[in-house]
Amino acid sequence: MGIKIVETALRDGHQSLFATRMTTDEVVSMAKILDDAGYYAMEVWGGATFDACMRFLNEDPWERLRKIRAVCKKTKLQMLFRGQNILGYRHYSDDVVDMFCKKSIENGIDIIRVFDALNDIRNLQQAVKSTKKYGGECQIALSYTTSPVHTIEYYVNLAKEIEKLGADSLCIKDMAGVLTPEDAKKLFSALKKGTSLPLELHSHCTGGICEMTYMAAIENGCDIIDTALSPLSGGTAQPSTQAFNVALKDTKYDPALNVAALHECEPVMEKVKAKYLANGLLNPKALSVNPNILTYQVPGGMLSNLMSQLKAQNAMDKYDEVLKEVPRVRKDMGYPPLVTPLSQMVGTQAVLNVMTGVRYKMVAKEIKDYLHGKYGKAPAPVDPEIAKSIIGDDEVITCRPADLLAPEFEALKEKYKDIARCDEDVLSLALFENVAIEFLNKKYNPAPEVEVEEFNVVI
Ligand code: CO
């Protein structure tokens, strides 16, 4: 058996390169061809695709999924799911997580990849349970980061817990692209010994070392890799599918993809890429190597976010200072991996610390919630003095945060009964309230064709 390939161009590819703006028609036209490629799965949904559909494209994300399913008869469809946050930014009650898994699978998803920013396994329990309940395949992705607590042993212990939890496979999600070949070698050989779960690697080419890291992982027990068809590969996205198909040919790892299908899709994807280059959504910078991320251990998306926050405040001269402040805030907070929503929280706090000139003089509500334990358990203890200066002697939650949430799906259904026409609509509203209200209003109450009456005004 060769290496299995998960094609990411239709989710992470355009999310990483041009802010998830590919339309449903574009995605479907390519999914239809790639269905013949012989992938293990295609990642096509979840992550930012759901929000972007409604917010920027005036499209229904559920309809997109159904249309992709209709043209993909052979390939498993995969989505990315943020544990108890689902695709949103707060913790949802278990019954909403359950309903989301149910509806995702009903509408066409086969594999749900679940992760939690803090790798707090308790935040993944419900999603695993529900995915299995509705017949889906559940993969848990561990957010990869480096810190004194993120040792090989840390990941192996988590992998064992994940296996016990009933997941079908384990992915190392290196969202910042900072995993080095040497660390991949150590990590994957240790995981192979520590668990019998199939192992997958997901990384990004931002730092320029990704292909070497993938090879090291493959040679040390990795079973599945995430790659993107070449037009949407490289830079801030995944390595090229075709490159790996060639590089591994005639080895025991040969993925044996159908080259004709890949070739057929290339010009279609090239044309789509050209459109986003021309309209400016795809910044050529996103396609080049940025070794700074290896120095600062900060995801590429976070770097550009910090830059735009500073530009908006006319404070680009503070950029270096903010970059140095990010790892300090991260240490104070117990080394959370910098992935959504923690990347935004840590980044914003670093900007506040530098701009006010006094660390933690101003603190965002989300950081306060984090210190109260509402996001789960920090990987390492939070700096006690800093925590005290921000939340005083407030009680800190140590249970699974969702245990404190009462079921809310029926209440949401009632709340949105005038707008929602199905449970899928209720879920869209629960996740992105204002965006979904605007979208669904337009969908169900299209503006009437206005007849213009001609009349003369006599003054
Ligand atoms: Co990614």
Side-chain angles (χ1 to χ4, degrees), residues 11-12 173 202 204 238:
R11 200 288 296 175
D12 205 337
K173 179 179 161 65
H202 174 94
H204 290 255
Q238 275 73 54

Side-chain angles (χ1 to χ4, degrees), residues 75-89:
T75 314
K76 290 182 186 179
L77 299 182
Q78 181 170 312
M79 75 172 292
L80 182 65
F81 190 109
R82 211 159 44 242
Q84 212 69 28
N85 298 154
I86 311 180
L87 305 174
Y89 299 99

Side-chain angles (χ1 to χ4, degrees), residues 167-202:
D168 296 296
S169 60
L170 166 69
C171 175
I172 294 296
K173 179 179 161 65
D174 176 24
M175 56 280 166
V178 298
L179 179 63
T180 63
E182 185 57 19
D183 287 342
K185 180 179 155 190
K186 290 179 190 150
L187 179 58
F188 277 85
S189 48
L191 286 172
K192 202 71 194 174
K193 279 188 207 116
T195 163
S196 55
L197 289 172
L199 302 175
E200 182 158 350
L201 177 58
H202 174 94

Side-chain angles (χ1 to χ4, degrees), residues 84 120-130 165 400:
Q84 212 69 28
D120 186 334
I121 298 296
R122 301 170 306 171
N123 291 335
L124 306 169
Q125 282 165 0
Q126 185 61 46
V128 176
K129 204 169 131 190
S130 300
L165 206 60
R400 187 182 76 111

